[in-house]
Amino acid sequence: MEIHRSEGVTESEKILNLLCKRSFFSLWTYPNVYRDQGTKDGKYEGKEVCDALAVFGDHILIFSDKSCTFPDSGSLDVDWARWYKKAIKRSADQLLGAMRWITQHPDRLFIDKDCMEPLPINLPSIENAKFHLIAVARGAGERCKMHYGGSGSLMVFSPQFDNLLHDHGEKLPLFAIGEVALFDGYIHVFDDITTSIVLETLDTAPDLIRYLVEKEKFMKSGRLQNADGEEELLAYYMQSWNEAGELSFFNSVMSNYNIPEIPPKIILAEGGWEELVSDMTWRSLQEWRRPSLYWDNLIELFAFHTLDGSLYKVDDPSPKYQETLLRFLAAEPRYRRRTLAYAILDHIEISSKDENVDFSARIVFSTKSDEPTYVFLVVVRLDGEDLYKYRNRRRLLLINYCAVVKHKYPSNDHIIGLAVEPKYSQERSEDMIYLDAREWTTEMEINAAEAHEKLGILKDISPKTLPTEPRHYIDAKLGADLSNNIISGKPGRNDPCPCGSGIKFKRCHGSMI
């Protein structure tokens, strides 16, 4: 069933929606989420909860977007106070209200004002949910630039320094953001300048979420006095690594987030971001990441068909089910998306040059227990084979390959299979499956072992290492004789399994997916 959704009401919301889609794609981000407020004239009357909601795993990102004209009363102090109240204070109230509603009524969220279409994906349990509150406040950039010069972005002060000034009867300077919500959690404030900078730079869900988590810890640590804009914080973050080699506000010298005994010392002045992006190394990095966009396009392709209700031959087409599979792909950070994109594109290129091979697989292994292993399968369409039979045969091959990977390499618990045509094919299509092998039964193991022996899957393998990182993979080839062992039509649940075991499909390879 097709999912109908908003793309944003105001121009500012539409821009925010496009930016959020870059990080979370269409499956995990929803503009203009509503809550049901009872009925009016026999119909539900929805009230907007937030301007955008992004859900990814245990993380819930709530956005409030306020685009407010900056007043011009003749008193800059008065104008700033009025704009702050309309653009930031009201955003904070909306964000905190949205968090309370989601906590209390997670099953009463809708993506249409009539409250007829529930949020199509699952929320994490409230016990596990991690909320990130983001106020997008537009309208002050030009006046800020006129007053201070520079980029026009709002200054960011730590909550500790804000409170320190307050204790001494002082207040933050104009166009500065301190502690927005007392005792109710940290609220990130992005403005005219920094909204696009942050969301375009951190354009994957794991990269953006990590930044928000690390920034909140850093702001609460008491080590920062102020930054002359969110972009200066981002520049500092993008050039700091912890002992594990991960981006972090705390490098190996500042190895913990404990509040220091001395007052905050770090001041991030204007110019750090401009210096970073004008450096040739940064420009080279942008070119380096370009191949990873293939992985993004792949995720969005399946996300689109999921929401459009046009997925091909899947057992459960619901967004709630498909989201589980696609989240593995979207959870890959930018550098690994590049590696995976290279792995599949290179395999398509190489396999298309071998005319004696009808099936060719590349298995890219996980590096951690919670990461998936990927099976990339290129399948040639046989002469005279119609598209329906080809897609079903290819999908069945993919099921077998994923099962044999678990059989040969039992430490792999999450296996994602992706099957495509060779490069020279005039038609393009993709099949994807997810094998959750955490509950691997004896019956499944027997069936997979038979597929390995009878069908010859993963018999002829070539261990290799990807040139882009020390990540191991294997290539495996199969000739045309395998076609005799695979039935083209998709079997029914009670039909004999095409692998030749004599067992019903639902109890053999059908049980593996």
Side-chain angles (χ1 to χ4, degrees), residues 406-435:
K406 176 63 179 178
H407 163 67
K408 283 184 64 65
Y409 308 98
S411 63
N412 293 277
D413 289 335
H414 305 284
I415 303 171
I416 303 289
L418 175 67
V420 298
E421 292 92 346
K423 181 179 179 180
Y424 56 75
S425 176
Q426 295 181 349
E427 296 178 327
R428 307 306 307 173
S429 62
E430 299 82 11
D431 288 309
M432 190 181 302
I433 64 171
Y434 166 49
L435 173 58

Side-chain angles (χ1 to χ4, degrees), residues 385-511:
E385 187 176 31
D386 65 42
L387 183 60
Y388 175 80
K389 290 184 178 180
Y390 166 70
R391 292 287 298 272
N392 287 334
R393 179 172 61 89
R394 186 176 72 180
R395 184 173 178 81
L396 185 56
L397 270 171
L398 195 57
I399 293 173
N400 278 277
Y401 266 96
C402 291
V404 174
V405 166
K406 176 63 179 178
H407 163 67
K408 283 184 64 65
Y409 308 98
S411 63
N412 293 277
D413 289 335
H414 305 284
I415 303 171
I416 303 289
L418 175 67
V420 298
E421 292 92 346
K423 181 179 179 180
Y424 56 75
S425 176
Q426 295 181 349
E427 296 178 327
R428 307 306 307 173
S429 62
E430 299 82 11
D431 288 309
M432 190 181 302
I433 64 171
Y434 166 49
L435 173 58
D436 185 350
R438 288 172 296 183
E439 298 181 2
W440 188 248
T441 66
T442 302
E443 187 178 35
M444 291 177 180
E445 172 60 23
I446 292 173
N447 295 335
E450 289 182 351
H452 175 55
E453 294 298 330
K454 292 184 178 181
L455 303 182
I457 292 176
L458 300 189
K459 286 282 190 178
D460 180 15
I461 62 175
S462 304
K464 299 179 181 179
T465 301
L466 290 172
T468 51
E469 67 166 294
R471 186 179 176 90
H472 296 291
Y473 72 92
I474 60 173
D475 283 349
K477 298 180 179 180
L478 288 169
D481 58 337
L482 182 62
S483 303
N484 298 326
N485 295 331
I486 299 295
I487 297 174
S488 297
K490 181 180 179 181
R493 287 175 51 78
N494 293 310
D495 292 338
C497 186
C499 74
S501 65
I503 302 173
K504 290 182 179 181
F505 178 68
K506 67 180 180 182
R507 298 188 180 278
C508 192
H509 285 90
S511 67

Side-chain angles (χ1 to χ4, degrees), residues 225-425:
Q225 175 175 308
N226 72 281
D228 287 348
E230 184 77 30
E231 75 272 31
E232 307 306 338
L233 275 168
L234 180 59
Y236 182 81
Y237 171 78
M238 296 296 291
Q239 299 174 89
S240 301
W241 291 268
N242 61 21
E243 294 177 341
E246 302 167 319
L247 286 173
S248 172
F249 281 101
F250 278 49
N251 55 38
S252 57
V253 176
M254 299 182 295
S255 58
N256 63 70
Y257 287 102
N258 294 331
I259 297 177
E261 296 180 359
I262 60 175
K265 293 291 187 181
I266 299 176
I267 299 176
L268 303 177
E270 182 94 23
W273 174 253
E274 284 301 319
E275 183 179 350
L276 174 65
V277 298
S278 62
D279 188 272
M280 284 301 299
T281 303
W282 179 265
R283 297 178 184 178
S284 299
L285 178 63
Q286 306 316 302
E287 189 63 30
W288 175 88
R289 68 201 291 276
R290 190 180 302 277
S292 69
L293 299 181
Y294 172 83
W295 195 256
D296 293 12
N297 294 335
L298 192 66
I299 299 170
E300 186 56 36
L301 176 67
F302 280 93
F304 169 81
H305 287 296
T306 297
L307 296 172
D308 191 53
S310 54
L311 287 172
Y312 182 84
K313 298 291 181 182
V314 295
D315 294 328
D316 187 347
S318 69
K320 291 183 178 181
Y321 180 83
Q322 294 298 320
E323 184 270 339
T324 303
L325 186 162
L326 292 177
R327 197 193 317 149
F328 280 107
L329 278 68
E332 301 288 1
R334 180 58 60 194
Y335 78 94
R336 285 190 43 177
R337 292 186 190 189
R338 183 184 187 275
T339 296
L340 293 165
Y342 170 84
I344 186 171
L345 291 173
D346 177 68
H347 184 58
I348 293 173
E349 181 75 28
I350 293 175
S351 62
S352 299
K353 296 178 181 179
D354 195 338
E355 297 180 355
N356 298 317
V357 175
D358 282 356
F359 314 97
S360 181
R362 173 168 288 180
I363 293 87
V364 182
F365 293 100
S366 61
T367 57
K368 301 177 182 178
S369 60
D370 57 343
E371 293 175 354
T373 284
Y374 292 95
V375 177
F376 300 137
L377 186 64
V378 177
V379 181
V380 175
R381 186 171 172 181
L382 305 176
D383 292 338
E385 187 176 31
D386 65 42
L387 183 60
Y388 175 80
K389 290 184 178 180
Y390 166 70
R391 292 287 298 272
N392 287 334
R393 179 172 61 89
R394 186 176 72 180
R395 184 173 178 81
L396 185 56
L397 270 171
L398 195 57
I399 293 173
N400 278 277
Y401 266 96
C402 291
V404 174
V405 166
K406 176 63 179 178
H407 163 67
K408 283 184 64 65
Y409 308 98
S411 63
N412 293 277
D413 289 335
H414 305 284
I415 303 171
I416 303 289
L418 175 67
V420 298
E421 292 92 346
K423 181 179 179 180
Y424 56 75
S425 176

